[in-house]
Amino acid sequence: MQFLIRGGRVVDPAHGIDDKLDILTDGGKIVRLGKGLTADAAQVLDASGLIAAPGLVDMHVHLREPGFEAKETVATGCAAAARGGVTTLVAMPNTRPATDCPDIVKLVCGKAAPTGINVLPAGAVTVGQKGQQLTDFAALKTAGVPALTDDGVPIQNLALLRRAMQEAKALGLPLLDHCEDRDMVQNYAVNEGEVSKRLDLPGRPAIAEELQIMRDVMLAEDTGAYVHVCHISTAKGVDIVRQAKARGVHVTCETCPQYFTLTEEEVLRQGAMARVNPPLRTQADLEAIRAGLADGTIDAIVTDHAPHTAEEKAKLLPDAPSGMVGLETSLALALTGLYHTGLLPLRRVLALMTASPAALLGLDKGTLGEGRDADLVLFDPDREWVIDKEQFVSKGRNTPFHGRTVRGKVKYTISRGMIIYQEG
Ligand code: DOR
Ligand code: ZN
């Protein structure tokens, strides 16, 4: 099957391409990029007025299967990815059972195979994510995990974490860490500050995240391991990573649209719908996240797509689970918050969602070179639309962005040369 994607503005940050070009795909690969291409046998896709970019790479997604299929399945999560322009994703291991052995990696990959999404399950650092015994990293690596993480459950035992870093380093695997000190955050619902005071609730302090980032940076420096900080949310956290990078420590970090779009105030308006870990922070934190994205301290934009059922999210704020879905809104929120505001050039926004996360994980994805997999997103960067959770194909409807007007709409998602999503 050949596709000729004609007349789009091709933006490929990895190769510095931003030009009106045609793209010819064949058998799942990009075979040519150029002007005025023709191919008699090819199906023509008119991309005029659209941007053609590499399929998005989301390195932080909760697919929930096995174990929590009421929240999401691999199939529904992958459908949401396709609708959001995401063609490669890393699935977090906090399933039941956890992805702590090759069998679960294989199970998730098997479920993902028919979806057309390139799903890479991350391996758990500790057995059952219980923080006590390291998993078999070598076996997980052989099974294909791109990274190790206990995301959702912060690792507290430093001797164990240090050993994890030493072993991960020996195998060349990155360690993705959810940085919040568990004793400080407990099961609290909101940021510690004005809003927690107003609600008279105990809060999750910024320092709980910052101490854990500092600790990870020091252990990375000590062990030579590669540590990636998940969903960074505080100003000082960004600063710690900035300084560590300047010292040459092998540390990178990611953030999510919620942290550069919303503040803790959202909890006053939307209650549990705005509950997420780490929590939404202050305006100063939001601005520091934007600055970190602009100056290169933050390496990737991810969703932390965390579906929950309507019943779970209908609970009172202190009892509801944390998390929000994101796959179907991330590109629009990034374009709206970062590009249309003039904060970042389009190329940089796309790099943060394609080439940069792919490079962090050593994946041969996120760029459009000839011979590469034909993974693409075609989108209208200017189209205004209103986020409507009822339209989601994810089982999760837990978004604080319902009703928000955004700019930038995915029209087609193509994975290995197959159209896996088409608007309308
Ligand atoms: O809000 C969150 N939800 N943060 C996490 O780290 C985990 C996630 C989940 O699994 O629901
Ligand atoms: Zn997390």
Side-chain angles (χ1 to χ4, degrees):
M1 180 78 182
Q2 286 190 327
F3 273 107
L4 182 56
I5 301 158
R6 188 177 271 162
R9 174 178 160 199
V10 175
V11 181
D12 181 17
H15 291 108
I17 295 172
D18 185 346
D19 199 3
K20 210 163 174 193
L21 296 173
D22 301 334
I23 303 169
L24 182 64
T25 76
D26 193 1
K29 300 280 182 189
I30 294 171
V31 290
R32 284 203 63 195
L33 270 167
K35 289 193 191 281
L37 299 186
T38 54
D40 292 341
Q43 187 177 328
V44 176
L45 218 155
D46 178 16
S48 47
L50 304 182
I51 304 247
L56 307 183
V57 177
D58 187 341
M59 64 185 287
H60 194 140
V61 174
H62 297 271
L63 288 180
R64 305 300 192 202
E65 194 176 358
F68 301 101
E69 290 83 355
K71 296 176 195 271
E72 191 81 290
T73 64
V74 173
T76 57
C78 287
R83 187 159 181 266
V86 173
T87 52
T88 291
L89 65 84
V90 175
M92 289 293 133
N94 60 341
T95 48
R96 194 173 58 205
T99 312
D100 60 4
C101 62
D103 281 353
I104 307 298
V105 177
K106 278 176 212 146
L107 182 136
V108 174
C109 289
K111 302 249 178 202
T115 68
I117 302 291
N118 179 36
V119 172
L120 304 159
V125 176
T126 64
V127 175
Q129 293 192 291
K130 290 189 174 16
Q132 280 160 12
Q133 183 193 342
L134 296 185
T135 57
D136 185 341
F137 292 2
L140 285 165
K141 184 178 173 165
T142 304
V145 307
L148 299 162
T149 179
D150 268 0
D151 182 60
V153 194
I155 302 173
Q156 296 297 100
N157 180 330
L158 294 188
L160 191 85
L161 180 58
R162 184 162 182 254
R163 212 152 40 75
M165 287 197 196
Q166 287 161 340
E167 286 191 23
K169 153 91 179 158
L171 290 164
L173 284 172
L175 202 138
L176 323 177
D177 203 18
H178 178 123
C179 291
E180 280 189 294
D181 182 88
R182 257 166 103 178
D183 300 314
M184 285 189 190
V185 301
Q186 303 278 331
N187 189 33
Y188 301 155
V190 292
N191 183 45
E192 181 184 285
E194 288 307 314
V195 170
S196 67
K197 254 184 248 155
R198 282 220 359 221
L199 297 172
D200 198 21
L201 289 172
R204 306 171 83 93
I207 188 78
E209 177 170 340
E210 292 146 0
L211 282 170
Q212 204 103 336
I213 296 173
M214 181 64 99
R215 170 202 89 162
D216 281 13
V217 160
M218 297 193 76
L219 283 172
E221 198 162 18
D222 168 64
T223 59
Y226 168 26
V227 175
H228 174 83
V229 178
C230 293
H231 40 51
I232 201 162
S233 73
T234 85
K236 270 196 192 138
V238 174
D239 216 42
I240 293 164
V241 173
R242 187 179 285 120
Q243 289 176 36
K245 283 184 166 187
R247 281 209 307 284
V249 183
H250 196 179
V251 59
T252 57
C253 65
E254 64 186 33
T255 195
C256 318
Q258 53 267 29
Y259 301 117
F260 58 74
T261 308
L262 304 175
T263 69
E264 57 180 354
E265 301 269 313
E266 207 58 39
V267 178
L268 298 176
R269 289 187 279 271
Q270 300 204 46
M273 208 50 107
R275 178 176 175 169
V276 63
N277 298 341
L280 300 175
R281 307 280 189 188
T282 66
Q283 185 65 29
D285 291 308
L286 179 152
E287 275 155 26
I289 296 294
R290 289 179 165 200
L293 286 161
D295 76 6
T297 302
I298 300 176
D299 303 89
I301 296 172
V302 304
T303 57
D304 191 13
H305 179 81
H308 294 292
T309 65
E311 295 71 40
E312 289 166 322
K313 275 295 197 183
K315 292 182 182 169
L316 293 174
L317 180 59
D319 306 320
S322 298
M324 35 187 75
V325 291
L327 284 167
E328 295 172 72
T329 52
S330 60
L331 180 61
L333 288 166
L335 292 171
T336 304
L338 304 173
Y339 165 61
H340 289 300
T341 50
L343 263 133
L344 298 187
L346 180 64
R347 204 192 277 192
R348 171 92 186 121
V349 175
L350 291 175
L352 285 159
M353 303 182 85
T354 60
S356 181
L360 299 187
L361 297 171
L363 308 177
D364 196 14
K365 292 282 187 184
T367 105
L368 295 179
E370 289 173 4
R372 301 281 190 145
D373 286 340
D375 294 353
L376 293 142
V377 57
L378 308 189
F379 64 96
D380 179 341
D382 298 313
R383 240 280 292 292
E384 223 174 68
W385 60 288
V386 178
I387 293 173
D388 177 2
K389 63 182 180 180
E390 303 308 330
Q391 305 280 317
F392 286 173
V393 293
S394 168
K395 280 195 184 182
R397 301 279 154 101
N398 48 307
T399 176
F401 296 110
H402 177 67
R404 182 174 286 251
T405 301
V406 286
R407 269 175 88 190
K409 190 94 173 68
V410 175
K411 295 283 191 176
Y412 293 93
T413 305
I414 296 168
S415 179
R416 294 191 194 95
M418 305 278 285
I419 297 178
I420 58 167
Y421 170 76
Q422 181 171 355
E423 190 197 32

